[in-house]
Amino acid sequence: MSKLAILNTHPIQYYSPYYRRLAQQPELKLRVFYGWGRATEETYDLGFEEDVSWDIPLLDGYEHTFLENTASDPGTHHFWGIVTPDLVPTIEEWRPDALLVFGWNFRAHLRALRHFHGRIPVLFRGDSTLIDESAGPRRWVRRGFLRWVYRHVDHALYVGQNNRAYFEAHGFADDWLTWIPHAIDNARFADAPEADEKARRWRHEIGIPDGAPVVLFAGKLVEEKAPDVLLDAFVSLETDESHLVIVGSGPMEEALRAKMESHTRVHFLGFQNQSRMPVVYRLGDLVALPSRSETWGLAVNEAMACGRPVVVSERVGCTPDLVDETNGRVVPPDDADALACALDELLANQDHLQSMGRRSAKRIEDWSIDVAAARTADAVQATVKRDE
């Protein structure tokens, strides 16, 4: 059995099910080290622009330790937001056989990479892509710096095709890379008793009649996710029967609400917590994520697990892995006309939409927590064995 230490910033709703499943792998003994206790209490979220406290368990089912964060401005919004002087001795005291680090761009995480490299095998997981990379001298300076960072990593766990291309561009050879699917707890979204009926009643409450086609957006209302493009596309749709549901909050909310004030078929539902999301996705006949920039887009995983077709932009990182003509559409970013055409085409045929939704549900089965945990355990064992 190998002892695996994991370093992450704070408890995150998407990773906690992954850690629980990893802790059940017979070949691993797991402990997660957190540099910030943010998600254990209600905290102001910069993206949602409101206080958030997740209503699903984040710490159950796996061993964990909170490190003291001495940053003057603690948080994940800047490099100096995670400063943990006791990180190295605390992890060393646990005597792990390997270390898995989530992200490098915090002082504590970069320090851990540099200290433990050459002492124990260091694995790394992130979801960065080359999608936003622009040509010019700055690109080569950044690539040079990142190649130096990643020289302190023995094995990278990539989450999809765009992420793999990023690691390859920064010096990782094929035998340094293992695919670990960027996964959610599919069962929580797929096996949701009474979720369809709850969604039907919720539709009635907000004034959506039975049979009306519904487009859903779920996410932070920020420029990167382009909810403004979706609104522009929606108001230009050919049909006057469709409805748009916007779930989320953020800095663009006030302006978007004002813009749509006279549109009775646009419904803003605000922030909804995690336990509610399996019902939220069932409000829509399809889910749209037209982001200008998105490293992955776990809302797509969630929508697919709920059996929904998805319409995404080319700049959503999961696109080449999860979305094609069989379960949705891919459109150019910042192109409301192209998005409107895709929505018009799909909303015109409810039977076809349902068929595409079933394909989504089937396709996402391989992008599961079970697969992610099993492949991670194999990668850790192989990396430890190679280092012996």
Side-chain angles (χ1 to χ4, degrees):
M1 176 181 288
S2 296
K3 295 179 69 176
L4 175 65
I6 294 179
L7 177 62
N8 209 337
T9 54
H10 62 284
I12 297 170
Q13 71 273 23
Y14 293 117
Y15 290 140
S16 294
Y18 170 59
Y19 298 153
R20 281 194 285 272
R21 202 61 51 85
L22 265 180
Q24 297 169 4
Q25 300 298 308
E27 61 268 53
L28 290 183
K29 180 173 176 56
L30 178 79
R31 178 171 285 273
V32 180
F33 295 83
Y34 288 120
W36 185 34
R38 171 192 177 278
T40 60
E41 56 190 30
E42 186 172 82
T43 308
Y44 185 76
D45 188 288
L46 290 171
F48 286 121
E49 286 199 332
E50 61 180 271
D51 291 333
V52 170
S53 178
W54 301 115
D55 64 354
I56 59 173
L58 300 181
L59 298 173
D60 294 354
Y62 64 94
E63 295 182 11
H64 55 275
T65 296
F66 284 101
L67 303 163
E68 182 183 5
N69 186 7
T70 62
S72 58
D73 179 20
T76 58
H77 55 291
H78 66 124
F79 178 79
W80 295 97
I82 310 290
V83 179
T84 52
D86 294 335
L87 182 153
V88 168
T90 302
I91 293 179
E92 286 184 333
E93 184 179 2
W94 193 65
R95 300 179 64 83
D97 298 300
L99 172 68
L100 170 56
V101 179
F102 278 68
W104 64 266
N105 54 332
F106 304 100
R107 183 183 184 276
H109 290 214
L110 186 56
R111 179 182 174 220
L113 290 176
R114 296 181 64 188
H115 176 84
F116 286 103
H117 176 62
R119 291 178 167 89
I120 59 174
V122 175
L123 296 90
F124 181 87
R125 177 164 169 168
D127 58 7
S128 297
T129 73
L130 302 175
I131 290 175
D132 292 328
E133 190 178 58
S134 56
R138 291 183 65 182
R139 178 177 75 172
W140 297 112
V141 171
R142 180 172 175 78
R143 282 202 181 184
F145 170 72
L146 288 173
R147 280 177 173 261
W148 171 78
V149 169
Y150 293 131
R151 282 205 298 269
H152 300 92
V153 172
D154 299 296
H155 204 100
L157 310 180
Y158 70 92
V159 300
Q161 294 180 47
N162 279 320
N163 186 217
R164 181 186 174 102
Y166 166 88
F167 282 126
E168 289 175 337
H170 293 98
F172 283 86
D174 185 67
D175 59 349
W176 292 3
L177 294 166
T178 295
W179 172 63
I180 306 294
H182 214 344
I184 59 156
D185 185 358
N186 288 342
R188 188 169 74 84
F189 290 87
D191 306 326
E194 301 182 1
D196 289 298
E197 176 58 24
K198 289 178 181 178
R200 188 189 67 79
R201 292 200 300 266
W202 199 354
R203 279 191 182 200
H204 281 185
E205 290 170 7
I206 62 178
I208 301 176
D210 287 337
V214 178
V215 179
L216 174 77
F217 172 92
K220 295 178 180 178
L221 300 182
V222 294
E223 290 282 347
E224 291 87 346
K225 292 185 181 290
D228 53 322
V229 176
L230 178 56
L231 289 176
D232 289 342
F234 180 79
V235 298
S236 69
L237 293 182
E238 293 180 359
T239 175
D240 59 1
E241 297 178 354
S242 58
H243 288 248
L244 173 62
V245 174
I246 304 288
V247 174
S249 59
M252 298 180 72
E253 182 175 2
E254 184 177 349
L256 295 175
R257 284 181 179 268
K259 183 178 181 178
M260 294 293 112
E261 189 174 6
S262 62
H263 292 268
T264 59
R265 291 181 291 110
V266 178
H267 312 270
F268 288 86
L269 301 186
F271 170 81
Q272 301 293 323
N273 218 316
Q274 286 294 297
S275 65
R276 188 85 164 174
M277 293 308 293
V279 179
V280 165
Y281 285 106
R282 287 169 170 83
L283 292 173
D285 296 294
L286 65 81
V287 174
L289 186 62
S291 301
R292 297 180 173 97
S293 175
E294 188 91 40
T295 54
W296 182 261
L298 285 169
V300 174
N301 296 60
E302 293 174 340
M304 291 173 64
C306 291
R308 267 39 188 180
V310 286
V311 178
V312 299
S313 84
E314 296 165 346
R315 298 181 74 85
V316 175
C318 69
T319 294
D321 300 284
L322 299 183
V323 186
D324 59 24
E325 294 286 314
T326 68
N327 73 320
R329 293 291 183 270
V330 180
V331 299
D334 262 322
D335 191 334
D337 291 338
L339 179 56
C341 287
L343 295 177
D344 270 325
E345 175 198 352
L346 296 179
L347 294 174
N349 189 331
Q350 285 288 318
D351 289 339
H352 186 49
L353 266 184
Q354 292 177 12
S355 175
M356 295 175 77
R358 289 191 291 271
R359 294 190 186 100
S360 279
K362 182 65 176 176
R363 185 167 187 168
I364 204 64
E365 288 178 359
D366 289 336
W367 296 75
S368 70
I369 295 293
D370 286 338
V371 174
R375 292 185 64 85
T376 300
D378 289 345
V380 170
Q381 294 291 79
T383 306
V384 169
K385 185 176 181 180
R386 187 177 64 188
D387 193 63
E388 291 176 349

